[in-house]
Amino acid sequence: MSSTVNRVQHTAFIDQYGRQKRKLRISVTDRCNFKCSYCMPEHPEWVKKHHLLSFESLYRFCQFMVQRGIEQIRITGGEPLMRQGVVHFIAQLHRLKQFGLKRISMTTNGHYLGQYALALKQAGLDDLNVSLDSLDEQQFKQLTQKSVCPVLAGIYASQRVGLTVKVNCVLIKNCNENQIVPLTLWAKAHHIELRFIEFMPLDGDQKWSVAQVVTEQDILDELATVFQHIALVGQSHNPARQYIVDGAVVGIISTISHSFCQQCDRLRLTAQGEFYTCLFAEKSVNIKTLLEHLDEHENTTALDTTLTQAIWSKASGFLEIQAQKKDNPRKISMHVMGG
Ligand code: SAM
Ligand code: SF4
């Protein structure tokens, strides 16, 4: 398959609403060394190692997806830097750039970045999203059960080796809203694009409630107490609505108050091979066996048919899925889905 890859011969993946798929998120593990209150359940049940997709299968999948129009791949988790071999996997993915892949990104909690930043850069990683919910050590510990110091050190190390870094902050009401202004000032001082994320109903213990959501409007109101000029500059295929705040770029991912589903060009694969067309989809399709049987010479018809069907029937978005929600909704949290 590798030597004959030619994107022109393949049709792109498109859903029933005409949204072409260009971005793929791959979770390489559900394990994590953090225990963020808005993500990890109190008693996580880790996927057994032998149920994880091998990097070999993942690479073949990515190769196939790039043929079908995927331009950006994001590696996530759990904590992706906890999976051994992830740097080598990124180096492998780098080869797909000659076939149309444009960006390789990672979302990480940043704890191990000091150790890995240079290797990630050398492997061909283009950019990083690092989660940072508070600059206050005590508050950070309360939210994640870990220290903020290695995360900050990891962010600075990544900048030094030339990786583009964005910082993600999930805001929870009556918890870390007091970080809106300090994080914005810090990001501006360090030339980092900051994105605030509305808390979504994807926490492991399903304790989410709308009352805990700090909305886009709440964030803008808080910013307006300190900053003079706040202007919306756009969104496009980006989930974050971008604002310029006194010269600094601040994004807000307001899935709850302004869902961005009409533009969604994303697909997701969990570490055990569950293929999801939406973060909130009630159903997935397991493609682990299909991927394991996809060797260099085998044709890809079965995989193609399965994915084409799944993608075509993608729901219009979050609101439709919420409206159809059953009494017994699926139990899957962000640490499995990958964000
Ligand atoms: N462990 C890595 C990290 O934290 O960056 C990658 C995986 S994490 C699941 C991916 C992203 O999802 C992070 O930015 C995290 O803050 C976000 N996230 C997790 N749970 C969330 C929730 N319930 N609502 C909104 N964002 C959430
Ligand atoms: Fe781990 Fe990321 Fe979930 Fe926090 S948000 S528990 S760092 S997977």
Side-chain angles (χ1 to χ4, degrees), residues 25 27 29 31-34 36-40 75-80 106-110 129-133 167-172 195 197-204 208 253 255 279-280 333-339:
R25 295 187 156 225
S27 170
T29 178
R31 287 171 198 245
C32 188
N33 54 331
F34 281 27
C36 301
S37 59
Y38 53 78
C39 174
M40 200 53 84
I75 312 298
T76 176
E79 176 43 43
M106 177 180 278
T107 304
T108 169
N109 63 31
N129 286 358
V130 183
S131 300
L132 176 65
D133 303 318
V167 160
N168 287 342
C169 168
V170 177
L171 290 169
I172 318 273
R195 290 149 15 126
I197 305 178
E198 287 181 355
F199 181 24
M200 302 177 212
L202 290 167
D203 53 316
W208 178 91
I253 301 181
T255 312
L279 254 184
F280 300 97
S333 91
M334 275 296 212
H335 81 287
V336 174
M337 186 62 95

Side-chain angles (χ1 to χ4, degrees), residues 311-337:
I311 293 165
W312 180 258
S313 27
K314 176 171 166 131
S316 65
F318 174 63
L319 296 176
E320 180 190 335
I321 294 168
Q322 286 291 98
Q324 291 174 353
K325 220 167 187 152
K326 303 179 200 86
D327 295 338
N328 219 350
R330 80 164 192 204
K331 280 193 182 157
I332 182 166
S333 91
M334 275 296 212
H335 81 287
V336 174
M337 186 62 95

Side-chain angles (χ1 to χ4, degrees), residues 99-110:
F99 303 119
L101 182 63
K102 293 184 180 156
R103 288 196 87 73
I104 309 168
S105 313
M106 177 180 278
T107 304
T108 169
N109 63 31

Side-chain angles (χ1 to χ4, degrees), residues 98-203:
Q98 60 188 305
F99 303 119
L101 182 63
K102 293 184 180 156
R103 288 196 87 73
I104 309 168
S105 313
M106 177 180 278
T107 304
T108 169
N109 63 31
H111 183 83
Y112 296 113
L113 266 182
Q115 189 182 328
Y116 282 108
L118 181 61
L120 289 170
K121 175 71 181 166
Q122 287 170 341
L125 191 78
D126 293 293
D127 57 80
L128 276 168
N129 286 358
V130 183
S131 300
L132 176 65
D133 303 318
S134 181
L135 291 167
D136 178 86
E137 172 68 9
Q138 221 182 329
Q139 193 178 52
F140 189 88
K141 203 163 242 168
Q142 196 189 332
L143 270 159
T144 66
Q145 312 287 321
K146 289 280 176 185
S147 168
V148 72
C149 299
V151 180
L152 291 173
I155 291 172
Y156 303 142
S158 304
Q159 285 188 305
R160 278 197 300 276
V161 301
L163 284 165
T164 303
V165 180
K166 284 186 195 159
V167 160
N168 287 342
C169 168
V170 177
L171 290 169
I172 318 273
K173 215 155 218 147
N174 301 323
C175 177
N176 62 339
E177 309 132 287
N178 64 353
Q179 290 297 301
I180 295 172
V181 169
L183 269 171
T184 305
L185 291 169
W186 170 85
K188 189 173 179 209
H190 291 277
H191 310 287
I192 289 173
E193 188 176 329
L194 172 66
R195 290 149 15 126
F196 293 112
I197 305 178
E198 287 181 355
F199 181 24
M200 302 177 212
L202 290 167
D203 53 316

